[in-house]
Amino acid sequence: MTTRGMGGGLFAFSYALLFFLFLFGPLIIMVITAFNSSAFPRVVPWECFTTDWFGVLVRNERLMSGLWTSLAIGIAVVAIAVPFGLAGALALADIGPRLRAGLYAVLITPILIPGVVLGISTIVFWSFVGRGVGASYDTVFYNGFFLTLLGQVAFIASYAMLVLNARLQRFDPTLTEAALDLGATPGQAFRKILLPFMKPALGSAAFITFLASFENYNTTVFTILSGNTFTTALASKVRLGTDPSLSALAVIIIAVTLIGAMVSEAHTRRQELLRSGKAGQSRLYANPLSRLLTHPGAILVLLVGVTGFIAWSASRVDADFCRAAILQEKQQVQERLMQEQRNRIQQQAPAQPAMPSPSNNPSPFGGAFNPNSLAPPAQPAPPAAPPPSNNPSPFGGAFNPNSLAPKQ
């Protein structure tokens, strides 16, 4: 009551609201941008509802090939890392307290080493081994899939060990001792007693190791060599330029995660009801149809069907007409802005000076660039020729042979 009087209710509500906005706000924004027709992932301004970005994502061959590679590596990592982790957890449970602390520190050390160091050391070590045995470059020692698998198992097995060790600490070892006293072999005691007890932890460890392998980038980017996983291909795409197809990928991942979480929760509640005996008292389990709907398999089929129907309905929306209207609107806005810019330029232009009076020489440079001005000046007229005489020779006809004749 005192807390409400001091505004604690409003503070708690505001704190919770900000916390959930911080936690789920980016996911909500990313989901919305997956259905906007804008070429860049954004919410405002909203253009047209479309599911075309899912098609763009599927048609990206590099991402799809990387996805299949990541799935294959993840399954292989689970198959190797979980048994390694179980062996480490069993070793910690069986040895004495003094050695346990040292072995525990050794087993969790790979988690503390940066992924970059693990990736480079994996390449250097296995290349050294390959050269030592004389292996060529087409062997597994230089294969990106093999090196990535080993590099990820080196530290992901420690995650599995931590999960299994936490479960193993609640195990009563007298159950195994009783089975051995009754004549069971160590293998039978392990399969019939210990393994069923570890079953939930094994499922959790497998899920965690798969996710750790699927999303790993620091180690994988060095060990995958010339190949690509989903994370390395995605990082390359982000560096070159992002588009809403990445938001479509986030929608798919969120949908798969939500469906898996709901099915897992339904399975857990069903097991608790059956184990406690409250299922027979529940009306939900009294009706065969409602009892069937509580089964995790039925819930999975129902959720997948609803999701598929929503996706099919959304894919039938044609956004071409909306895109054409948006394009026409953008062109009109662009023309209006250009016209406003032209008007503004005309208004800001200075007044034109008065035109000079026309003259015989219209050029402002005095006709300096007139090609006719480069012609040489006109030559003065030659002097008038002397009047013709009877003796055309300038020497007075001295060399005329007729002039040597005696004068009459």
Side-chain angles (χ1 to χ4, degrees):
M1 183 174 179
T2 305
T3 305
R4 290 184 177 180
M6 296 175 62
L10 180 60
F11 175 77
F13 176 76
S14 302
Y15 179 80
L17 180 62
L18 291 176
F19 174 76
F20 285 111
L21 282 178
F22 174 77
L23 195 63
F24 298 107
L27 298 179
I28 295 173
I29 295 297
M30 202 161 191
V31 169
I32 295 175
T33 57
F35 299 98
N36 192 356
S37 63
S38 173
F40 187 78
R42 62 185 181 186
V43 177
V44 180
W46 179 265
E47 293 186 358
C48 305
F49 177 84
T50 181
T51 57
D52 294 346
W53 297 115
F54 291 88
V56 174
L57 174 67
V58 174
R59 289 191 295 271
N60 193 321
E61 296 181 358
R62 190 177 185 186
L63 278 179
M64 291 299 103
S65 63
L67 175 62
W68 292 115
T69 304
S70 292
L71 291 176
I73 292 176
I75 294 173
V77 168
V78 170
I80 299 175
V82 174
F84 279 10
L86 180 59
L90 292 176
L92 287 175
D94 290 339
I95 62 176
R98 294 183 178 179
L99 294 177
R100 186 180 303 164
L103 180 61
Y104 183 81
V106 171
L107 292 178
I108 66 170
T109 298
I111 300 177
L112 307 177
I113 298 176
V116 176
V117 177
L118 288 175
I120 297 175
S121 61
T122 300
I123 294 178
V124 172
F125 176 76
W126 289 103
S127 299
F128 174 77
V129 174
R131 289 192 301 270
V133 299
S136 59
Y137 286 101
D138 56 349
T139 57
V140 295
F141 299 101
Y142 304 96
N143 184 272
F145 186 94
F146 178 74
L147 295 176
T148 302
L149 177 62
L150 295 179
Q152 291 186 358
V153 169
F155 70 96
I156 292 178
S158 299
Y159 293 137
M161 185 272 296
L162 292 176
V163 175
L164 297 174
N165 186 50
R167 176 70 175 177
L168 198 59
Q169 289 179 355
R170 290 185 291 173
F171 179 69
D172 187 2
T174 58
L175 297 176
T176 304
E177 295 175 358
L180 295 176
D181 292 340
L182 293 175
T185 62
Q188 290 176 339
F190 177 77
R191 292 194 305 271
K192 301 295 184 179
I193 298 176
L194 183 60
L195 204 57
F197 177 79
M198 298 293 293
K199 188 177 178 181
L202 289 172
S204 301
F207 186 70
I208 291 174
T209 52
F210 179 80
L211 290 182
S213 170
F214 190 83
E215 68 178 4
N216 182 259
Y217 176 78
N218 294 338
T219 303
T220 306
V221 73
F222 291 96
T223 56
I224 196 62
L225 301 180
S226 60
N228 278 297
T229 62
F230 187 73
T231 52
T232 57
L234 192 62
S236 300
K237 182 177 176 57
V238 171
R239 283 197 298 267
L240 297 176
T242 182
D243 57 38
S245 63
L246 301 181
S247 302
L249 172 65
V251 172
I252 295 174
I253 294 176
I254 291 172
V256 172
T257 304
L258 288 178
I259 291 175
M262 295 175 69
V263 172
S264 176
E265 182 66 20
H267 174 72
T268 303
R269 291 193 176 188
R270 179 185 173 86
Q271 293 298 322
E272 290 179 356
L273 287 175
L274 294 176
R275 191 182 305 111
S276 62
K278 297 181 180 179
Q281 304 173 0
S282 174
R283 295 180 180 178
L284 191 63
Y285 284 83
N287 191 330
L289 180 60
S290 58
R291 185 170 63 249
L292 177 62
L293 294 177
T294 60
H295 195 275
I299 294 176
L300 176 62
V301 173
L302 183 62
L303 291 176
V304 171
V306 171
T307 305
F309 177 76
I310 294 175
W312 177 77
S313 301
S315 64
R316 297 180 64 83
V317 176
D318 189 6
D320 293 338
F321 180 77
C322 180
R323 281 200 182 96
I326 292 292
L327 181 60
Q328 184 178 4
E329 182 180 356
K330 289 182 178 179
Q331 291 177 349
Q332 292 177 353
V333 171
Q334 186 177 7
E335 292 177 358
R336 178 174 57 81
L337 293 176
M338 293 178 64
Q339 183 62 36
E340 291 178 358
Q341 184 179 10
R342 284 194 293 267
N343 296 336
R344 188 165 52 251
I345 292 175
Q346 291 178 358
Q347 294 175 358
Q348 295 176 354
Q352 295 294 332
M355 297 297 293
S357 59
S359 62
N360 296 332
N361 186 7
S363 174
F365 301 98
F369 299 99
N370 189 352
N372 298 328
S373 62
L374 300 179
Q379 297 295 328
S389 61
N390 296 329
N391 187 8
S393 175
F395 299 98
F399 299 98
N400 191 350
N402 299 325
S403 61
L404 299 179
K407 293 182 178 179
Q408 298 295 328

